[in-house]
Amino acid sequence: MSVASTQQAVVAAEPTRESLDVLDQLMKPEVQESLTVLVENLPKLAEMVTILTKTYDLVQNVATDRVFIEDIKGGVEEFVKPIQDTAKGLASAAIEANDRAQDESTTIGLFGLLKMLKDPQVQKMFRFSQAFLDVLAERQQRQ
């Protein structure tokens, strides 16, 4: 037997520091208790891993299914589009009203206010304001 092969056999027979560390760890009572708990719960853990694997597979299939993604995208767009259109309409009306108010320099007097009170939009705004304040008062009384 050569010297090199003899040295290899001696090195292989000697326990390594890493294996001693693992054995030392396994001898600790808290590690043994943890291992006992793990062994007792192996059926539950196996069931959980199975469920997680199935969930992962489902998510992977859904995430890579282009038809499903396009369907979801279309559904969200159908839901968001009316809200987006309403928000754009309100924003453009606010911008236009601001521009008109900046261009107008006349003073609105008492008779101008009385005339404005007859406007259907002003009446609608007052009815909404009154109803909103009534709801707030009712909620405050309940508390």
Side-chain angles (χ1 to χ4, degrees), residues 6-130:
T6 307
Q7 287 176 348
Q8 288 175 351
V10 170
V11 171
E14 290 180 7
T16 62
R17 176 148 176 80
E18 292 172 2
S19 65
L20 286 178
D21 288 342
V22 171
L23 290 175
D24 289 339
Q25 291 291 326
L26 288 173
M27 295 304 291
K28 292 181 182 178
E30 60 269 12
V31 172
Q32 290 178 0
E33 289 175 24
S34 298
L35 287 172
T36 303
V37 169
L38 282 172
V39 169
E40 289 172 356
N41 289 308
L42 275 177
K44 291 179 186 175
L45 290 172
E47 184 179 343
M48 287 176 54
V49 168
T50 302
I51 291 170
L52 286 172
T53 302
K54 289 179 182 178
T55 304
Y56 176 80
D57 291 342
L58 175 67
V59 169
Q60 280 296 107
N61 288 337
V62 168
T64 57
D65 186 359
R66 293 288 170 213
V67 174
F68 181 75
I69 292 171
E70 290 299 320
D71 288 346
I72 294 294
K73 182 180 171 186
V76 169
E77 285 176 352
E78 286 179 22
F79 177 76
V80 171
K81 184 136 177 67
I83 296 169
Q84 184 180 14
D85 292 344
T86 302
K88 284 181 180 178
L90 289 173
S92 72
I95 291 169
E96 185 177 345
N98 183 45
D99 292 344
R100 287 184 188 183
Q102 295 295 327
D103 292 342
E104 192 69 36
S105 62
T106 60
T107 303
I108 298 176
L110 179 62
F111 293 111
L113 284 174
L114 291 174
K115 183 179 176 186
M116 285 174 54
L117 286 175
K118 294 180 183 179
D119 185 282
Q121 290 298 320
V122 173
Q123 288 295 315
K124 184 177 178 181
M125 188 241 349
F126 282 137
R127 284 192 298 273
F128 174 81
S129 299
Q130 184 62 52

